Amino acid sequence: MKIASLVLAPLRIPFRVAFKHASAERSVTQSVWVTVQAESLTGYGEGCPRDYVTGETDASVAAFFEKFHASIMAGVTDLPSLQKWRHAHRQDIDHNPAAWCAIELALLDLLARQHNQSVEALLGLPLLAGPFTYSAVLGAMGTQQFSETLGRYRKLGIRDYKIKLSGNIDRDRANLAILRAADIAPAQVRADANNLWTNPGEAHAYLKSLDFPFSAIEEPFKAGRFADLASLADSLATRIILDESVTREDQIAQLPGTPEQWIVNLRVSKMGGLLRSLEMVDFCRERGLALIVGAQVGETSLLTRTALIVAQAARDILIAQEGAFGTLLLESDAVQPALMFGTKGELDTLSLQLGRSPGLGLTPIPDLAKRYLGPAAQ
């Protein structure tokens, strides 16, 4: 295969409703979209750069793309050469995971289409076997919106929740009271603090005052403060979910305490693509760590589709899945079919035949470029 073109563009799709947590608030996607062509075939990729997760910005993604564009065009012709390229540029990808994610997904999609097989078949993985069950995510919102959003989730029969803490004690207490009134037990709820606190004592006091023993706490401090995280876990007798604190395998070696204390939130974009995500699944399994396969806010169905491959590979250590919001959150998806959870939070892939379609089995909506893509780099 000889790549004819490799193009990157910003992807900006408005949200139906703004989503807020302690580290950010957004009402439009902050993503990049990559298109790669060879002969008559096209592959598509997506990445979600976040400065507070991986340190990436639109500018850094553009710089990475410009620096390595020619090298990728010339050096990647098949799956072995793709593997060779990413291993040779491991440190560059470490610092630009979302940028590489978008490129890698487009290349994998194209290579699989070239062989008229699914990405699973290209990688020697089994076909998707669903259904896949997703958690509901409740943002840092006022009580009326919180109650209304929870009501919609309950009508779907969803019983597993993640709540974004706001740092406003009165608001957080009021929202937790709504959960209690809905007969949702703490064991069904994970709390994401999004770096709210500066030390374990402050975090412990706040969380104890909520009187709601969450099943796990996600990222209460700035990334990488593993000793403080372990101290908080011990003081609350809870588990810690690692999101921005773990984007590479070598960070896991720094974890103190027992494996049971930790849960890794594996999001494909922040890990640097599908291949690294699959390697992380194996790495965590070998070390006795549990996983959540998560999602960046505003992901389209392309990243949802990719995360299904990871979730299937991790079923034996998987405790939850997040994402698959599609047009429940976005004004429009970027691709067809749109992948969204439904009743009981389930996404049934069997009827969609995703694992039996070439590539990732998704097609961009007809007017994607006109409506949602910004100026392209190529």
Side-chain angles (χ1 to χ4, degrees):
M1 177 190 76
K2 181 174 177 55
I3 298 174
S5 69
L6 179 65
V7 180
L8 176 141
L11 176 67
R12 299 292 185 263
I13 302 175
F15 290 1
R16 294 184 182 275
V17 61
F19 189 90
K20 183 178 181 179
H21 56 71
S23 294
E25 180 177 6
R26 59 176 44 85
S27 57
V28 66
T29 60
Q30 183 188 338
S31 306
V32 292
W33 190 261
V34 169
T35 304
V36 58
Q37 292 182 315
E39 300 172 350
S40 61
L41 299 172
T42 307
Y44 306 96
E46 176 187 5
C48 299
R50 299 287 187 270
D51 57 355
Y52 57 89
V53 177
T54 62
E56 292 173 278
T57 63
D58 289 344
S60 72
V61 171
F64 178 89
F65 186 80
E66 181 179 2
K67 181 177 181 179
F68 294 110
H69 179 269
S71 173
I72 295 167
M73 290 270 292
V76 177
T77 59
D78 53 18
L79 183 59
S81 60
L82 171 59
Q83 295 279 27
K84 181 180 179 180
W85 197 97
R86 74 181 186 93
H87 287 307
H89 296 83
R90 177 174 294 275
Q91 289 188 347
D92 297 300
I93 296 172
D94 284 348
H95 297 293
N96 300 274
W100 172 248
C101 174
I103 296 168
E104 180 192 89
L105 294 186
L107 291 168
L108 289 172
D109 190 30
L110 177 64
L111 288 168
R113 291 174 188 269
Q114 182 190 33
H115 294 284
N116 196 32
Q117 60 184 177
S118 67
V119 169
E120 286 89 347
L122 176 73
L123 300 178
L125 300 171
L127 294 177
L128 294 179
F132 295 83
T133 304
Y134 289 81
S135 302
V137 179
L138 293 155
M141 57 187 76
T143 53
Q144 181 175 345
Q145 185 182 0
F146 187 95
S147 181
E148 292 170 353
T149 304
L150 176 63
R152 289 193 290 271
Y153 285 141
R154 291 187 70 206
K155 286 181 179 178
L156 288 173
I158 298 177
R159 298 292 295 172
D160 189 60
Y161 292 86
K162 173 177 174 175
I163 180 175
K164 298 280 190 175
L165 297 177
S166 68
N168 180 317
I169 190 68
D170 293 331
R171 175 185 292 181
D172 288 339
R173 283 173 174 165
N175 286 342
L176 291 173
I178 293 170
L179 289 179
R180 287 193 186 93
D183 197 29
I184 296 171
Q188 299 168 252
V189 184
R190 306 182 299 279
D192 190 350
N194 287 107
N195 323 122
L196 266 174
W197 302 293
T198 59
N199 62 75
E202 182 185 11
H204 176 91
Y206 191 99
L207 291 165
K208 287 293 286 186
S209 72
L210 294 177
D211 191 26
F212 197 93
F214 299 106
S215 64
I217 309 295
E218 184 167 346
E219 294 291 357
F221 313 121
K222 293 294 184 183
R225 293 173 53 182
F226 298 123
D228 286 342
L229 291 169
S231 174
L232 182 64
D234 289 339
S235 71
L236 293 173
T238 192
R239 304 174 80 182
I240 297 295
I241 301 169
L242 303 165
D243 183 6
E244 53 265 37
S245 289
V246 171
T247 60
R248 306 184 309 274
E249 292 176 359
D250 64 314
Q251 292 164 317
I252 289 179
Q254 303 173 43
L255 297 179
T258 63
E260 294 77 18
Q261 197 170 38
W262 308 103
I263 302 166
V264 174
N265 187 342
L266 196 163
R267 299 192 283 181
V268 173
S269 180
K270 69 147 187 173
M271 296 308 308
L274 174 59
L275 300 176
R276 279 191 167 203
S277 295
L278 292 171
E279 290 170 349
M280 180 61 83
V281 170
D282 292 337
F283 194 83
C284 288
R285 180 183 291 112
E286 292 168 0
R287 285 152 184 79
L289 294 169
L291 285 178
I292 293 169
V293 173
Q296 310 280 173
V297 175
E299 288 184 1
T300 78
S301 289
L302 195 149
L303 275 170
T304 298
R305 166 69 175 96
T306 307
L308 290 172
I309 302 174
V310 181
Q312 172 147 295
R315 281 199 187 272
D316 59 317
I317 57 172
L318 187 68
I319 66 166
Q321 274 183 266
E322 298 165 1
F325 283 93
T327 54
L328 295 172
L329 176 64
L330 303 178
E331 172 186 282
S332 169
D333 212 313
V335 293
Q336 302 168 332
L339 307 181
M340 295 179 288
F341 60 77
T343 303
K344 297 182 180 179
E346 293 183 354
L347 171 57
D348 185 3
T349 60
L350 184 61
S351 61
L352 298 172
Q353 296 289 300
L354 291 175
R356 301 182 186 277
S357 302
L360 290 168
L362 302 172
T363 305
I365 60 172
D367 52 354
L368 176 65
K370 180 180 178 180
R371 294 174 65 188
Y372 301 123
L373 294 183
Q378 53 188 315

